[in-house]
Amino acid sequence: YQVSIPLGLAFKLAGNKKMEWFAGATIQPSYVFGGNAYLLSSDLKNYVSDPDAIRRWNFNTGIETYVNYKVGKSTSFQAGPQFRYQLQSTFKKEYTTSEKLYNIGLKIGMVKSF
């Protein structure tokens, strides 16, 4: 289980009343609790469970660009690419693991204002 709080900024690059283009950046502190780590052997045939191997505190950063399309007065749809990077390994430094600390994805969302 993980709890995180994204903090970020978005800047409007261009747009009109219906469609807008934004760029944004975030930092996201996160805390893992109740998690479990499974470490594979070098021959990939065996594993061991070790919950103490997980780093509890970590940070993610991200940059994104997206298009915001307004539908009516209070609803809009967003879509665009996003790049995220995890600042530290998922595991404590005593463990040598190979992992990709970045991911690239597509942000798709709906925003409803009240």
Side-chain angles (χ1 to χ4, degrees):
Y1 302 101
Q2 179 177 341
V3 174
S4 59
I5 300 173
L7 306 168
L9 298 169
F11 299 99
K12 183 177 173 182
L13 301 174
N16 56 34
K17 291 182 180 180
K18 277 287 216 196
M19 188 173 293
E20 301 166 310
W21 177 33
F22 286 89
T26 62
I27 186 163
Q28 184 173 343
S30 61
Y31 180 76
V32 175
F33 63 95
N36 207 350
Y38 296 96
L39 303 172
L40 288 172
S41 63
S42 59
D43 63 2
L44 304 178
K45 293 183 180 181
N46 299 300
Y47 67 92
V48 63
S49 172
D50 185 6
D52 293 329
I54 296 176
R55 184 184 307 272
R56 298 292 176 204
W57 284 99
N58 214 327
F59 285 91
N60 292 295
T61 59
I63 57 172
E64 64 187 15
T65 183
Y66 60 92
V67 173
N68 186 58
Y69 182 74
K70 294 179 183 178
V71 179
K73 293 182 181 180
S74 62
T75 305
S76 64
F77 293 95
Q78 299 177 347
Q82 183 179 60
F83 175 80
R84 289 177 39 114
Y85 186 78
Q86 184 173 300
L87 297 181
Q88 297 177 319
S89 171
T90 304
F91 301 99
K92 293 180 180 175
K93 64 181 177 182
E94 296 85 26
Y95 299 93
T96 57
T97 59
S98 176
E99 64 180 316
K100 294 180 181 173
L101 298 177
Y102 67 90
N103 70 45
I104 299 170
L106 180 63
K107 172 184 178 173
I108 300 174
M110 181 181 96
V111 177
K112 176 76 173 166
S113 300
F114 297 99

